[in-house]
Amino acid sequence: MAGVNSQQPALPQTDPQQPWQQTWRSTEARLRARPPEALPPVVSRHARVNKLDADLLDAELTDMLREPLAKATSLLRPGLVDTYRLEVDTAIRALLFLLSVGSHRRATYGQALQNLTYRGPASVGKQQQQQRGLGWRLHVLGLVSIGGGYAWGRMAQWMSFEGWANAGGARQRAWRVVRWLERVARVASLANLLVFFSAGQYRTVLERLLGLRLVSARAQLAQSVSFEFLNRQLVWHAFTEFVMFFLPLINPARTRAWALRRARGLLGLPPAPVDPALAALPEHVCAICYADAVREADAPVEPGSCLSVNAYAAAGCGHRFCYVCIRTRCMAEADECTCPRCGARVEDIRRYAPRRES
């Protein structure tokens, strides 16, 4: 056996991973030889969310500071803050900007909570930010975004109050130029937002023009506001906006009548519940007026105080009501409107004509 083993060829003694290690060493050397500024910036999706959430936090902070100011000035002059809403918001934003970005923090309070800070253009190294004028870029950002926004908004508001849109001549042309510039700004903001979703570098057009980037202040530190809280806030905000948009489209009275009619139909009950007190009212009494009076009054209501005014009768059952009462009910419940006396469906109404005795 020893002779047989001695005749077998020897296995290679080289490490099979050695070529890969050599390739990595050479690649690492080339990567280290390149300056960090030459590497393409990599922005995570979470960083995009943080940058957008920072704006929401700054807006919430402005609203929080405006509310106590409005309560304090209401004792001197009610509605003072609402009258000068643009000036108050501008003053609060300017104060917050000076206390945060203007005091060498390089980030607003909302951005600091999201672990973000401003940096200069990507082609400028971190050590050269102060030398290349990061400070004046931030000052221009605050001056244009806050001061310029206030001046433009106040100018557009003044031109609208003065009626420049229909004044004719140079005023009307100036108004058209202002409106055209606003449309151009909206289109540019939309295009920049689409690019931001793709690259994640510049949130606004002004930041892109100034070369100001929002980057992580400390790479190993997460944002101070948890994603769970932010998600709840965003979902609740979107839900409330949807409800505020959807509720005006719903007719509560018609929906209630439709649901009641379908439920009673499934249970085999009469088409609509009829109050015996309403069914027993005299013919010349409006059942709708009487029901509303009973609902609102604390003492018993005399049926004689709810006579039909400008009487109209339901086309099906013939019961008469005040025109305003039955017309309002038909408009509210539409094809689900029913007679409160007998429960019959009210499809049409006509002016009541008393019968003449022959």
Side-chain angles (χ1 to χ4, degrees):
M1 295 295 294
V4 176
N5 292 337
S6 62
Q7 296 179 359
Q8 292 181 354
L11 295 176
Q13 300 299 325
T14 58
D15 188 357
Q17 295 183 359
Q18 187 175 3
W20 296 99
Q21 293 175 356
Q22 294 176 355
T23 305
W24 164 245
R25 293 192 186 95
S26 61
T27 304
E28 183 181 15
R30 290 197 302 270
L31 290 176
R32 290 182 179 278
R34 299 176 60 183
E37 295 79 9
L39 298 176
V42 179
V43 181
S44 65
R45 296 181 179 180
H46 298 301
R48 297 180 178 88
V49 176
N50 293 350
K51 295 174 183 179
L52 296 178
D53 289 339
D55 288 340
L56 296 179
L57 292 174
D58 290 331
E60 290 293 335
L61 183 58
T62 303
D63 295 338
M64 290 174 59
L65 294 176
R66 187 195 315 115
E67 183 177 357
L69 183 62
K71 292 181 179 179
T73 56
S74 63
L75 301 176
L76 301 176
R77 178 182 172 184
L80 180 63
V81 174
D82 294 334
T83 304
Y84 299 97
R85 176 72 173 270
L86 185 59
E87 285 77 8
V88 171
D89 288 350
T90 302
I92 294 176
R93 291 178 58 195
L95 180 62
L96 293 176
F97 189 86
L98 290 176
L99 295 177
S100 58
V101 181
S103 60
H104 306 287
R105 293 177 181 269
R106 308 306 183 195
T108 63
Y109 291 110
Q111 294 165 1
L113 288 175
Q114 295 297 320
N115 188 31
L116 297 172
T117 185
Y118 275 114
R119 291 285 185 269
S123 58
V124 181
K126 183 177 180 180
Q127 302 297 333
Q128 302 176 353
Q129 293 294 336
Q130 299 293 338
Q131 300 177 2
R132 294 299 181 89
L134 177 61
W136 73 263
R137 296 174 189 269
L138 294 176
H139 285 86
V140 172
L141 175 66
L143 182 62
V144 175
S145 61
I146 300 176
Y150 166 75
W152 185 270
R154 180 54 68 188
M155 180 190 67
Q157 188 177 12
W158 178 77
M159 294 173 67
S160 178
F161 287 161
E162 293 294 329
W164 283 32
N166 302 319
R171 292 186 176 184
Q172 188 174 17
R173 289 193 296 270
W175 173 257
R176 292 179 179 177
V177 171
V178 170
R179 300 297 296 175
W180 179 80
L181 291 176
E182 289 180 351
R183 297 190 187 97
V184 171
R186 293 192 184 99
V187 172
S189 299
L190 177 60
N192 182 81
L193 183 62
L194 297 176
V195 176
F196 170 76
F197 287 154
S198 176
Q201 289 295 316
Y202 304 100
R203 297 174 309 160
T204 62
V205 178
L206 182 58
E207 291 180 355
R208 184 177 296 276
L209 295 176
L210 295 175
L212 290 173
R213 300 173 300 125
L214 277 175
V215 298
S216 298
R218 285 170 283 183
Q220 303 299 328
L221 181 65
Q223 70 277 2
S224 301
V225 183
S226 63
F227 278 109
E228 290 78 9
F229 173 77
L230 293 174
N231 290 334
R232 287 196 299 267
Q233 290 296 105
L234 292 175
V235 170
W236 178 251
H237 180 73
F239 177 74
T240 52
E241 290 291 336
F242 173 76
V243 170
M244 293 177 63
F245 168 77
F246 188 69
L247 278 182
L249 305 179
I250 299 177
N251 188 335
R254 183 176 181 181
T255 304
R256 178 181 176 276
W258 177 86
L260 187 62
R261 186 182 183 87
R262 295 299 182 271
R264 297 184 66 86
L266 293 175
L267 298 176
L269 299 176
V274 178
D275 188 353
L278 298 181
L281 289 173
E283 289 294 329
H284 59 278
V285 174
C286 176
I288 301 177
C289 287
Y290 181 79
D292 294 340
V294 170
R295 190 183 306 110
E296 297 176 359
D298 298 331
V301 178
E302 292 293 333
S305 61
C306 301
L307 301 179
S308 301
V309 178
N310 190 16
Y312 268 67
C317 59
H319 291 126
R320 52 181 171 173
F321 310 90
C322 298
Y323 172 75
V324 175
C325 297
I326 190 62
R327 185 60 179 169
T328 303
R329 188 158 184 156
C330 289
M331 293 176 63
E333 300 182 4
D335 53 353
E336 300 294 337
C337 180
T338 56
C339 176
R341 287 178 173 269
C342 61
R345 201 167 181 177
V346 180
E347 298 181 355
D348 192 14
I349 58 174
R350 60 190 62 178
R351 188 176 182 83
Y352 174 74
R355 298 179 181 178
R356 297 181 179 178
E357 296 181 358
S358 57

